[in-house]
Amino acid sequence: MPLLVMKFGGTSVADLARIENAAKKVQAEVARGYDVIVIVSAMSGETNKMVGFVEGTSKLYDAREYDAVVSSGENVTAGLLALRLQEMDIAARSWQGWQVPINTTSAHANARFVSIPREHIDAKFAEGFKVAVVAGFQGVSAEGRVTTLGRGGSDTTAVAFAAAFGAERCDIYTDVDGVYTTDPRITNKARKLDKIAFEEMLELASLGAKVLQTRSVELAMRYKVRLRVLSSFEDTDENSGTLVCDEDEIMESKVVSGVAYSRDEAKVTLVRVEDRPGIAAAIFGPLAEAGVNVDMIVQNISEVEVGSVKGATTDMTFSCPTNQVARAQKAMEDAVAAGMITYDGIVVDSDVAKISVVGIGMRSHAGVAATMFKALSKENVNIKVIATSEIKISVLIDRKYMELAVQALHDAFELEKA
Ligand code: ADP
Ligand code: ASP
Ligand code: MG
């Protein structure tokens, strides 16, 4: 039997009516002759609610217990969707991560797949079952504890199943009808793309476009999974949505394909650290060990101290997610206490956002940075940190200008035009 993977995100299973709607989409594929593996998210809002419970109970919580709590939302929707399908006379069975088993690393809250053995689900299909409904976002560690894959992780579960079971396609059903030039919630000029290259999608996702979890795109690229994003609220067919595919399948080529933003960024500056060999390692080693996801890094030019101080100093600035600032500060205080570093102070700016423009066309076109900076300066938006790579340019700005900046860049690169 040909096999499809269908994933329904939180808004697509938000209540019983929407679960029924999802079940009808599954039913249509079964009627077309497919066996289906359905990956479900928790009902929208449920995971956030449980994260709140954990944080309200324990500030520097044990990640094993975090996973025990936050993984539970997916168990509910998996069971409910299986029941709804059974009501429609479709042979369906739900699976929690440990039952498959979805084997992952023990990196709680941020686990990665180790293996997804097919035998149990294959055996069920062989018995005549048509649908396996699998709880997304979760797995089980070698120690036998429940793990989760990081926020938005159900997308990655879906792609991993598509790869493991050789699915014809992996369809990600969500509350938008595809991948847009930017988040359609920020500007109504955003344009839906029919196709987007893996590499561009990977950058957009990792720079904040949460329509797909970054790792899902990574996996799809590596295992050549045909990955599609489409709406669960509209009638859809084989041509709906956005196909994420290889660069050479795409005819349209613009220098910039999309604008992404990330709201929850913080900028941390260590003031006057010693400027000596090894200082960066002494700072970023402990941050990594503390699980802080450092993103941009800027080291200012060295300033030779006249007067009382020992030698040259520099300011070291980095960005990380706002909810990791407390962890970062503690790691730095511990590094001072251990005699690894010294500094005059830590300055935290928790009100910044990161805006990025992405496009594979940048590889061969100059002037993208200039256009970007000009567009921002026209809106009087001050740039705090800049980072570039082959196919993206990112800036940190005050969060209050985030929407304005996205709109200005969308206009400046004429992304509304095909
Ligand atoms: P789900 O619950 O289905 O996983 P998400 O909320 O995680 O859905 O992702 C879908 C959301 O991603 C959309 O509602 C949209 O606001 C947001 N989004 C951000 N950037 C983009 C983009 N470039 N294209 C489409 N959607 C985007
Ligand atoms: N429910 C999880 C989250 O909200 C996983 C997902 O929806 O993909 O992050
Ligand atoms: Mg999502």
Side-chain angles (χ1 to χ4, degrees), residues 7 9-10 41-42 47-48 70 74 136-137 150-155:
K7 180 257 173 178
S41 286
T47 311
N48 283 344
V70 305
E74 273 71 9
F137 180 51
R151 298 306 305 270
S154 298
D155 298 328

Side-chain angles (χ1 to χ4, degrees), residues 43-88:
M43 291 179 178
S44 63
E46 285 302 303
T47 311
N48 283 344
K49 192 171 92 189
M50 288 183 286
V51 170
F53 287 158
V54 171
E55 289 175 349
T57 306
S58 167
K59 205 158 189 321
L60 291 174
Y61 49 77
D62 179 339
R64 294 174 201 80
E65 303 309 339
Y66 168 95
D67 279 351
V69 176
V70 305
S71 61
S72 61
E74 273 71 9
N75 298 342
V76 175
T77 44
L80 288 174
L81 180 58
L83 281 175
R84 173 48 64 195
L85 288 163
Q86 289 172 4
E87 290 294 318
M88 295 170 159

Side-chain angles (χ1 to χ4, degrees), residues 262-318:
S262 165
R263 187 189 304 271
D264 297 315
E265 301 282 325
K267 173 170 158 272
V268 181
T269 300
L270 301 181
V271 182
R272 290 174 187 281
V273 295
E274 288 169 80
D275 191 11
R276 58 163 171 85
I279 191 69
I283 292 170
F284 295 104
L287 287 171
E289 270 162 40
V292 177
N293 297 313
V294 171
D295 178 22
M296 298 159 132
I297 299 175
V298 179
Q299 184 181 331
N300 286 9
I301 51 170
S302 179
E303 169 185 298
V304 180
E305 191 71 24
V306 270
S308 62
V309 181
K310 338 91 199 175
T313 63
T314 183
D315 288 353
M316 190 75 90
T317 298
F318 63 89

Side-chain angles (χ1 to χ4, degrees), residues 106-344:
S106 311
H108 284 276
N110 194 26
R112 285 174 178 260
F113 294 111
V114 173
S115 67
I116 301 178
R118 293 175 49 157
E119 56 186 285
H120 291 130
I121 287 180
D122 275 345
K124 272 277 178 272
F125 281 133
E127 272 177 40
F129 277 76
K130 301 306 293 172
V131 182
V133 186
V134 178
F137 180 51
Q138 55 174 261
V140 61
S141 70
E143 292 78 33
R145 297 218 60 94
V146 175
T147 55
T148 65
L149 306 169
R151 298 306 305 270
S154 298
D155 298 328
T156 306
T157 307
V159 173
F161 271 77
F165 285 80
E168 205 171 285
R169 218 176 43 238
C170 180
D171 284 343
I172 306 286
Y173 286 87
T174 183
D175 58 358
V176 278
D177 60 352
V179 178
Y180 279 70
T181 47
T182 194
D183 188 343
R185 287 178 212 219
I186 302 281
T187 167
N188 55 19
K189 290 185 189 165
R191 179 171 54 90
K192 198 196 86 168
L193 300 164
D194 291 332
K195 291 180 177 178
I196 185 166
F198 281 123
E199 283 183 63
E200 288 175 327
M201 191 64 240
L202 193 58
E203 286 285 2
L204 285 175
S206 72
L207 296 167
K210 67 171 187 159
V211 61
L212 286 173
Q213 199 197 32
T214 309
R215 247 183 265 154
S216 71
V217 186
E218 250 166 42
L219 277 187
M221 196 163 146
R222 174 146 23 115
Y223 293 102
K224 302 229 169 290
V225 172
R226 277 189 97 66
L227 179 62
R228 188 165 71 138
V229 176
L230 68 173
S231 167
S232 66
F233 303 132
E234 289 172 13
D235 284 335
T236 44
D237 59 33
E238 310 81 71
N239 301 315
S240 307
T242 301
L243 187 70
V244 189
C245 59
D246 280 328
E247 219 175 292
D248 37 296
E249 277 190 63
I250 298 175
M251 307 306 276
E252 179 187 17
S253 118
K254 294 197 99 180
V255 179
V256 167
S257 330
V259 181
Y261 64 88
S262 165
R263 187 189 304 271
D264 297 315
E265 301 282 325
K267 173 170 158 272
V268 181
T269 300
L270 301 181
V271 182
R272 290 174 187 281
V273 295
E274 288 169 80
D275 191 11
R276 58 163 171 85
I279 191 69
I283 292 170
F284 295 104
L287 287 171
E289 270 162 40
V292 177
N293 297 313
V294 171
D295 178 22
M296 298 159 132
I297 299 175
V298 179
Q299 184 181 331
N300 286 9
I301 51 170
S302 179
E303 169 185 298
V304 180
E305 191 71 24
V306 270
S308 62
V309 181
K310 338 91 199 175
T313 63
T314 183
D315 288 353
M316 190 75 90
T317 298
F318 63 89
S319 67
C320 69
T322 34
N323 64 2
Q324 294 180 358
V325 168
R327 249 170 233 271
Q329 271 179 304
K330 173 143 195 326
M332 292 298 88
E333 284 155 18
D334 290 350
V336 170
M340 294 168 73
I341 55 173
T342 60
Y343 52 76
D344 279 1

